[in-house]
Amino acid sequence: MPDRSASPTLDLQLTWRGAFGRVRVFPDRVHAETSYERDALQPVPMDALRGWRIQPCDFDAVCVEFLTPDDTWRVLLDTSDEQVAALALRRVLGQPVPADS
């Protein structure tokens, strides 16, 4: 059973144009929450995760997209955090799915 008291190895967050996003990467799991495109801050249902990717959202933000069977959950991060987020997520979640075309 994972140690739920462990500190994250990476903790990134961004408040962007009224939306809040946070990605916390632990050695054995990822916790994310977002209010982007949502009515309120909500946790991403990681137990339903089918894939992930990082794509541009705007000139000053990137979206970490967590794909579930029913929805795409977008967590906004600063563009300067894109590479470190990709490395940490790849380590825990595996390779990203191809970008939207």
Side-chain angles (χ1 to χ4, degrees):
M1 172 168 255
D3 179 5
R4 299 291 176 192
S5 64
S7 296
T9 56
L10 183 67
D11 189 347
L12 299 172
Q13 58 186 335
L14 177 68
T15 300
W16 183 84
R17 299 182 188 172
F20 177 78
R22 184 176 192 182
V23 175
R24 299 175 79 203
V25 180
F26 297 84
D28 60 343
R29 70 189 186 285
V30 174
H31 175 78
E33 54 190 347
T34 186
S35 65
Y36 184 64
E37 301 175 328
R38 308 281 162 185
D39 292 333
L41 186 63
Q42 296 180 16
V44 176
M46 298 306 283
D47 56 336
L49 191 68
R50 298 292 183 254
W52 69 278
R53 63 183 165 224
I54 298 179
Q55 300 200 115
C57 280
D58 206 323
F59 70 93
D60 59 351
V62 294
C63 285
V64 180
E65 295 183 340
F66 294 101
L67 310 170
T68 65
D70 300 324
D71 208 349
T72 298
W73 295 76
R74 292 178 178 88
V75 179
L76 297 169
L77 294 178
D78 191 277
T79 55
S80 65
D81 292 330
E82 180 177 2
Q83 294 301 318
V84 69
L87 287 171
L89 290 169
R90 189 176 290 116
R91 193 172 304 140
V92 178
L93 300 176
Q95 292 297 316
V97 297
D100 274 348
S101 43

